[in-house]
């Protein structure tokens, strides 16, 4: 259970950082659809994971109507659909990555084995 708590905390922090990055780009007047999609996917998944972990810790009592955890658990599912399903955001993200693949993937920027200095055969 500690591993699940740690993983949930990690995902929440990643979501927070992605959200701040998207907000900074928007504040600067930049186009941030890719960053917004990244943040939405991670935050919705983190909320689902954290609420599921909380429910696991509390057992059946956590799902009763008189606890806030039951509301959070239902809200977490709804959050995955608000502003488009996470799968739609993943498709948006994939489109941006394909358009930016030459700048995004580090291995595309490195010289090929033949072009590396000191690799020539004389």
């Amino acid at each position: 259970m500690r591993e699940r708590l740690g993983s949930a905390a990690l995902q929440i922090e990643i979501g927070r950082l992605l959200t701040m990055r998207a907000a900074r780009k928007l504040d600067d007047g930049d186009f941030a659809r890719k960053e917004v999609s990244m943040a939405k996917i991670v935050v919705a998944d983190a909320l689902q994971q954290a609420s599921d972990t909380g429910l696991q810790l509390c057992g059946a009592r956590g799902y009763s109507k008189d606890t806030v955890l039951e509301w959070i658990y239902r809200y977490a599912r709804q959050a995955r659909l608000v502003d488009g399903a996470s799968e739609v955001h993943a498709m948006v993200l994939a489109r941006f990555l394909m358009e930016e693949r030459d700048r995004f993937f580090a291995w595309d920027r490195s010289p090929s084995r033949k072009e590396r200095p000191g690799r020539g055969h004389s």
Side-chain angles (χ1 to χ4, degrees), residues 5 16 23 55 58 61 75 84-85 99-100 103 110 112 121:
L5 286 172
R16 181 179 292 124
L55 198 63
C58 295
R61 174 82 175 116
Y75 180 79
E99 290 172 1
E100 298 177 348
R103 294 187 312 264
S110 62
S112 68
H121 296 286

Side-chain angles (χ1 to χ4, degrees), residues 67-79:
T67 65
V68 71
L69 185 55
E70 184 269 341
W71 178 85
I72 292 170
Y73 191 76
R74 285 185 295 115
Y75 180 79
R77 181 64 184 129
Q78 177 185 347

Side-chain angles (χ1 to χ4, degrees), residues 22-120:
R24 184 178 304 125
K25 285 191 82 166
L26 290 171
D27 285 347
D28 291 343
D30 294 334
F31 184 73
R33 188 67 214 162
K34 178 179 73 173
E35 290 77 11
V36 168
S37 287
M38 286 179 172
K40 195 274 183 189
I41 292 168
V42 171
V43 169
D45 288 348
L47 177 58
Q48 182 70 47
Q49 180 183 356
S51 65
D52 187 56
T53 299
L55 198 63
Q56 284 279 9
L57 286 171
C58 295
R61 174 82 175 116
Y63 200 67
S64 67
K65 290 276 187 187
D66 60 336
T67 65
V68 71
L69 185 55
E70 184 269 341
W71 178 85
I72 292 170
Y73 191 76
R74 285 185 295 115
Y75 180 79
R77 181 64 184 129
Q78 177 185 347
R80 294 177 63 119
L81 302 173
V82 174
D83 190 36
S86 293
E87 293 81 8
V88 172
H89 283 276
M91 289 189 302
V92 168
L93 180 57
R95 186 183 71 223
F96 278 105
L97 294 177
M98 293 305 295
E99 290 172 1
E100 298 177 348
R101 67 182 170 266
D102 294 336
R103 294 187 312 264
F104 184 78
F105 296 108
W107 56 84
D108 285 346
R109 290 189 296 251
S110 62
S112 68
R113 185 174 291 235
K114 292 179 185 176
E115 297 171 354
R116 289 183 190 152
R119 296 273 184 188

